[in-house]
Amino acid sequence: MGRRRQSVTIKHVAADAGVSLQTVSRVINNEPNVRPAMKERVQASIDKLGYVPSIAAQRMSGSRSYLILAINDRDLTIADWKAREGRDWVDQMLLGGMLTCAEHGYRMLIELVDTHSDHVERELSAAIAALQPDGVILTPPHSENALITGLLAEKGIPFARIGSKQEGPGIAMTMGDSHNARLATDHLIELGHERIGFIAGPEDFSLSGWRMEGWASALDDAGFSSEGLCERGDFGFESGAKAAERLLDRDPAPTAIIASSDQMALAVLEVARRRGLNVPKDLSLVSFDNSPIVRFTQPPLTAIDQPIAATAARAVELLIDARKKPAPIKPVQIQGELVVRGSTASARVDAGN
């Protein structure tokens, strides 16, 4: 009876090929110092036995762990999971990161760390000691936490900072937030809207400011004012509702609103309904994120599709290449795109009068 696939280990491969464990490990890790004939011999045993390399086997070379660690904010992530509100940031990050890791023989893990905790260095140090990752992906607001970036730099671990343009160690990456906000604003301007409100995210996220800049500059280029048309939220539903109320209380009120998250956009939709406003007849609405839920609202929401998966995938590639290539000097930008649905329409001639 043939050996069950799941029971095959690197020792079985070494015995079948008649080589040492280190030689098998070098073949698995695609190391350069293996003769072609020896590589073919080991690969033949791997194929015959149906061996699937484990992380432990890959680590035998002693130079790499073949792990990429993604660090996400604990409080925000747990709050999203408990609320079950359809946000899919983590899902998209894992989609892009895990698939790209798999293509290169790596594995991706995610850890939740509280960026505001006094123990952030201890938490991160414990995770690094246990996992010994070859690279780390930081998401906002970790991306600009000096304690975290300083610790990783001190330990010599390559890392990517998603949502950061700051100078310093690590690979700075953005998702084109200013460009994306301009896309949304230009779309509304093309529909005839002149008073376009904006609900920004919290100040401790740099991307909040970049989106505001894109919105304001698009209005300015079109000859329209942004003064008094911006309110802040925290990306959550309640804050979005309060911001929408303040914007719609303006006289004249905006004829369109861009919300910096799907949850805040859903809040605008609810506030508009309570006020008897029809979306998009009386108020056009654009959201950021494009999580699954926005396709099922009434009307479905026009949204900026953030390239979370593509950004995570590129981060993995850059971290793997960091062993042999210098990090990019300028921030790496992966731009999103606008998905037009039913929540935007031409501005009414009498709107706001």
Side-chain angles (χ1 to χ4, degrees):
M1 181 180 296
R3 189 184 305 276
R4 291 186 302 169
R5 181 169 180 167
Q6 60 267 31
S7 66
V8 176
T9 69
I10 190 173
K11 292 181 179 180
H12 296 124
V13 175
D16 186 80
V19 299
S20 68
L21 295 177
Q22 287 73 21
T23 298
V24 177
S25 178
R26 286 197 293 270
V27 172
I28 292 171
N29 294 322
N30 199 28
E31 299 289 344
N33 57 337
V34 181
R35 289 182 288 109
M38 182 64 71
K39 185 173 182 178
E40 290 180 9
R41 181 170 157 188
V42 172
Q43 189 60 52
S45 293
I46 290 175
D47 295 340
K48 181 177 74 174
L49 298 175
Y51 173 65
V52 178
S54 66
I55 292 176
Q58 289 174 311
R59 282 183 170 183
M60 284 187 66
S61 65
S63 60
R64 284 179 278 182
S65 68
Y66 288 86
L67 289 177
I68 299 295
L69 180 64
I71 307 292
N72 219 45
D73 186 83
R74 175 186 287 128
D75 288 347
L76 290 176
T77 304
I78 292 177
D80 288 349
W81 286 343
K82 287 183 175 179
R84 303 180 71 179
E85 293 173 337
R87 307 185 211 193
D88 67 339
W89 166 276
V90 174
D91 290 348
Q92 289 297 310
M93 183 174 64
L94 291 177
L95 169 65
M98 291 181 74
L99 292 181
T100 306
C101 278
E103 291 173 5
H104 295 273
Y106 280 68
R107 298 292 184 270
M108 183 173 180
L109 299 176
I110 184 168
E111 282 283 324
L112 302 182
V113 175
D114 182 3
T115 195
H116 300 295
S117 169
D118 294 335
H119 309 299
V120 63
E121 290 177 284
R122 186 175 67 191
E123 290 183 26
L124 185 56
S125 293
I128 290 172
L131 301 172
Q132 300 179 2
D134 289 333
V136 174
I137 298 174
L138 300 177
T139 61
H142 295 320
S143 314
E144 296 181 337
N145 185 318
L147 292 176
I148 292 176
T149 58
L151 177 65
L152 292 173
E154 180 184 340
K155 292 183 177 295
I157 300 174
F159 61 98
R161 299 181 278 117
I162 296 178
S164 175
K165 297 180 185 177
Q166 286 184 352
E167 293 185 0
I171 302 168
M173 303 187 71
T174 77
M175 290 188 284
D177 292 277
S178 181
H179 167 82
N180 297 340
R182 176 177 277 274
L183 277 182
T185 310
D186 286 342
H187 169 65
L188 294 169
I189 290 172
E190 290 169 3
L191 291 173
H193 295 276
E194 299 179 7
R195 288 184 58 79
I196 302 172
F198 192 83
I199 303 179
E203 293 184 1
D204 56 345
F205 284 70
S206 291
L207 59 83
S208 298
W210 303 335
R211 293 177 185 178
M212 289 172 61
E213 291 170 5
W215 158 76
S217 63
L219 284 176
D220 184 63
D221 290 348
F224 304 135
S225 174
S226 60
E227 186 175 354
L229 289 173
C230 182
E231 293 289 343
R232 280 195 183 273
D234 61 8
F235 296 134
F237 186 94
E238 293 301 325
S239 71
K242 292 176 182 177
E245 295 281 7
R246 291 192 293 268
L247 284 174
L248 294 174
D249 281 341
R250 301 281 200 277
D251 186 14
T255 62
I257 292 177
I258 301 170
S260 288
S261 74
D262 286 338
Q263 289 300 311
M264 294 197 296
L266 293 175
V268 177
L269 199 61
E270 174 61 20
V271 169
R273 184 193 65 77
R274 291 201 304 257
R275 288 177 174 239
L277 299 175
N278 178 275
V279 176
K281 182 178 178 182
D282 302 313
L283 178 71
S284 282
L285 176 60
V286 180
S287 178
F288 263 80
D289 294 339
N290 196 37
S291 57
I293 195 171
V294 302
R295 291 176 290 158
F296 305 110
T297 57
Q298 291 297 323
L301 297 183
T302 294
I304 290 293
D305 187 72
Q306 288 204 93
I308 301 168
T311 303
R314 184 64 183 133
V316 167
E317 292 172 346
L318 290 169
L319 292 173
I320 292 174
D321 288 344
R323 294 173 54 88
K324 50 191 176 183
K325 295 181 182 179
I329 298 175
K330 295 182 179 180
V332 177
Q333 180 171 279
I334 313 292
Q335 295 180 344
E337 61 182 17
L338 180 71
V339 180
V340 178
R341 298 191 181 94
S343 65
T344 52
S346 298
R348 290 173 51 183
V349 175
D350 62 343
N353 296 336

